[in-house]
Amino acid sequence: MIRDFSEDRKEKLKKQIDEINSETLCWLTDGLGDLGTRFSRWIGILDINNYMDNISAYHKKMLDMNDMTKKEVDQIFEEVYSVDSEFKKKFGEVSSMLDTWIDNVHILRDQINPGFSIAPAASIRKDCKEINKKLETARGEIAETYDKELTYSEKRAALEAAKGSVSALGEFAGNILAMPGKMISGVLSGDYAEIVSAEWDLINSMFSFGQKAAAFTAVGLGIGIGSLSGKNKNKVREKALEESESLNSRDGLTGEFESLAQSGTWEKKLYGGLAKGSGALDDINSMYKVYEDAKGMTDTFQKENFTKDNIVHTIGSELGFETKITPDDLERPKYMRKAKWKRYNDMYKDFERDKNIYSNIHTVLDYGLAAADPEQSVGEEVFKKSSVGGFVSDEWSTIKDLGDMEYVAVN
């Protein structure tokens, strides 16, 4: 894929804006169209990888969805040119050093007389004196630029790991609090899949938190140990940054097995098989969640739920909040005595109450992280937490996962 920021591409984008403006009937149709396009992006349909054979169509949809103006297009291109100028300076430093090395080689070449007799060392030092000064200056400039780039990459990796740790810790703690209630509910209702799903979510969230926390720690260790390593400090920081980025890219148990499968021959076979099994369980769990989401969406939009008493709870649930702290009673199985059922039901209510309170805190945290992230919006977070958004997002990601069942090749 070529990133085209030429003047020709800029003019084509401006022409597409003219086309969009001429095709728009009014603000209402434009708003509805933007909503549909944004919905496609939220669930992953509007993705550049799906438009590789027609990039212009992708550009047009994105321009329309964001209501881009020609002035904003000009601003984007100016910012890109600014980045180009910045990197031109960095590459210029490297080019200057290489040119100086070439001049040095030419001087050394000229010191070799016919018959392969080499000039005295004093003569070589004298002729190379100025070149060596230039090389030292060039090395210093490159080292300074490289240090800035490495520091920027470390900050970015640490920020990503920190945000991931906060979110993963929230998921992990939420799954721990939800586990007892789901186990009781699963036993009393006979839905043992709910218990298995809860356990699998807990395992994945535990690994995810560990991976993100370790990624954050790796960056800090790289900076700390690097500062004590003298001339080799950047090598230490590089290895730590590489490990941090690897940990950040993993997601749960399957991601851990996939990473371990790259270690060596026998590890590839062992962990590759485990990754395939773990990935299959991920798919099964995703399908179960789609089923649960579909049930929840049906219940949410049943006519009897839109009563005066339930309307606040319904709206709150669509925003991801639990407004009913004490859940309804579980249905008593016929084989269970009333006293025993009451004891289980009271335990269930206590666990659900604590889980719901924590869930609301975590929802507020998710909205805060979304608001602070320039690549995400609160609207996307609201959509994902709604019954329709959760159902469609889970269903779409499950379909994509099922289309790519091979997680790691095992030879």
Side-chain angles (χ1 to χ4, degrees):
M1 181 170 60
I2 299 174
R3 300 180 185 278
D4 186 1
F5 287 96
S6 63
E7 286 295 320
D8 180 56
R9 173 54 63 183
K10 182 165 71 171
E11 291 306 313
K12 286 180 179 177
L13 291 174
K14 288 183 176 181
K15 285 181 181 178
Q16 285 185 313
I17 290 175
D18 288 333
E19 291 174 11
I20 292 167
N21 291 335
S22 66
E23 293 167 0
T24 302
L25 298 176
C26 67
W27 65 269
L28 179 60
T29 57
D30 181 46
L32 291 173
D34 290 349
L35 183 61
T37 306
R38 199 171 295 278
F39 181 81
S40 298
R41 185 170 73 87
W42 281 338
I43 65 175
I45 295 176
L46 182 57
D47 186 288
I48 193 169
N49 293 317
N50 298 330
Y51 285 82
M52 296 305 292
D53 58 340
N54 193 355
I55 293 294
S56 291
Y58 176 78
H59 285 162
K60 188 172 181 179
K61 286 180 180 291
M62 295 303 292
L63 291 169
D64 187 17
M65 182 183 76
N66 294 296
D67 294 324
M68 295 287 290
T69 63
K70 293 180 180 180
K71 185 177 180 180
E72 287 172 325
V73 169
D74 284 330
Q75 183 180 349
I76 289 171
F77 273 73
E78 286 302 318
E79 290 174 357
V80 170
Y81 297 153
S82 174
V83 172
D84 281 350
S85 177
E86 178 81 16
F87 276 90
K88 180 181 178 182
K89 177 177 176 294
K90 293 171 184 176
F91 289 133
E93 291 173 357
V94 177
S95 177
S96 175
M97 184 174 180
L98 291 175
D99 289 340
T100 306
W101 268 111
I102 290 171
D103 291 340
N104 196 29
V105 170
H106 287 167
I107 290 173
L108 292 173
R109 180 198 61 192
D110 294 339
Q111 298 295 325
I112 302 175
N113 299 314
F116 293 99
S117 62
I118 301 176
S123 175
I124 294 174
R125 280 198 300 269
K126 179 183 176 183
D127 289 344
C128 291
K129 187 176 181 180
E130 289 302 315
I131 290 293
N132 288 337
K133 284 183 180 179
K134 289 181 180 179
L135 281 172
E136 201 62 38
T137 301
R139 286 194 193 100
E141 290 174 349
I142 290 175
E144 184 179 349
T145 299
Y146 178 72
D147 192 67
K148 288 179 181 177
E149 289 296 313
L150 193 56
T151 300
Y152 169 78
S153 297
E154 286 169 337
K155 288 180 179 178
R156 186 180 60 185
L159 179 61
E160 183 181 345
K163 287 170 61 180
S165 296
V166 172
S167 181
L169 177 59
E171 290 294 327
F172 180 45
N175 285 329
I176 288 177
L177 289 171
M179 173 70 77
K182 288 186 175 180
M183 290 184 72
I184 293 171
S185 174
V187 170
L188 294 182
S189 66
D191 184 6
Y192 294 101
E194 182 177 6
I195 300 174
V196 175
S197 176
E199 290 175 343
W200 191 246
D201 285 340
L202 180 60
I203 291 169
N204 273 317
S205 60
M206 178 182 68
F207 272 91
S208 185
F209 170 64
Q211 288 154 352
K212 301 301 182 288
F216 185 81
T217 304
V219 175
L221 285 173
I223 296 171
I225 296 173
S227 64
L228 304 174
S229 304
K231 292 182 179 180
N232 294 322
K233 69 173 185 177
N234 282 347
K235 289 184 178 179
V236 175
R237 290 167 67 191
E238 285 169 11
K239 291 298 291 182
L241 180 60
E242 183 181 336
E243 180 63 18
S244 177
E245 290 173 343
S246 172
L247 287 162
N248 267 329
S249 68
R250 301 175 200 173
D251 187 19
L253 183 58
T254 302
E256 195 67 25
F257 283 146
E258 287 175 344
S259 175
L260 291 169
Q262 311 306 318
S263 304
T265 306
W266 75 267
E267 290 97 333
K268 183 173 183 178
K269 291 182 178 180
L270 172 64
Y271 291 117
L274 291 172
K276 289 179 72 175
S278 177
L281 289 174
D282 282 339
D283 285 331
I284 294 170
N285 192 33
S286 295
M287 286 187 285
Y288 174 77
K289 288 182 181 298
V290 168
Y291 165 72
E292 288 294 302
D293 285 339
K295 276 203 317 182
M297 186 170 61
T298 303
D299 293 341
T300 298
F301 292 100
Q302 281 180 349
K303 191 174 181 180
E304 57 266 27
N305 286 336
F306 285 89
T307 62
K308 186 178 179 180
D309 293 335
N310 286 342
I311 192 70
V312 174
H313 171 66
T314 302
I315 294 172
S317 295
E318 289 303 291
L319 294 173
F321 294 100
E322 292 293 339
T323 55
K324 285 185 177 181
I325 299 303
T326 303
D328 296 331
D329 286 346
L330 293 167
E331 185 176 350
R332 180 167 64 93
K334 293 179 180 178
Y335 63 84
M336 188 173 289
R337 289 181 300 171
K338 192 171 183 178
K340 188 175 182 181
W341 167 83
K342 186 178 184 305
R343 187 167 67 252
Y344 275 116
N345 197 68
D346 289 343
M347 288 171 57
Y348 169 76
K349 285 185 177 182
D350 288 339
F351 286 128
E352 283 295 289
R353 183 182 62 250
D354 293 341
K355 186 263 292 184
N356 289 349
I357 293 172
Y358 183 82
S359 176
N360 289 340
I361 294 172
H362 193 243
T363 295
V364 173
L365 176 64
D366 286 342
Y367 286 145
L369 289 174
D373 190 344
E375 297 181 1
Q376 196 179 3
S377 70
V378 176
E380 289 181 67
E381 198 63 38
V382 171
F383 170 75
K384 285 191 295 185
K385 291 184 182 300
S386 69
S387 58
V388 175
F391 171 68
V392 176
S393 297
D394 285 348
E395 183 181 40
W396 178 252
S397 57
T398 301
I399 290 171
K400 289 201 295 186
D401 287 344
L402 289 175
D404 184 22
M405 287 290 286
E406 286 294 320
Y407 287 87
V408 175
V410 183
N411 297 320

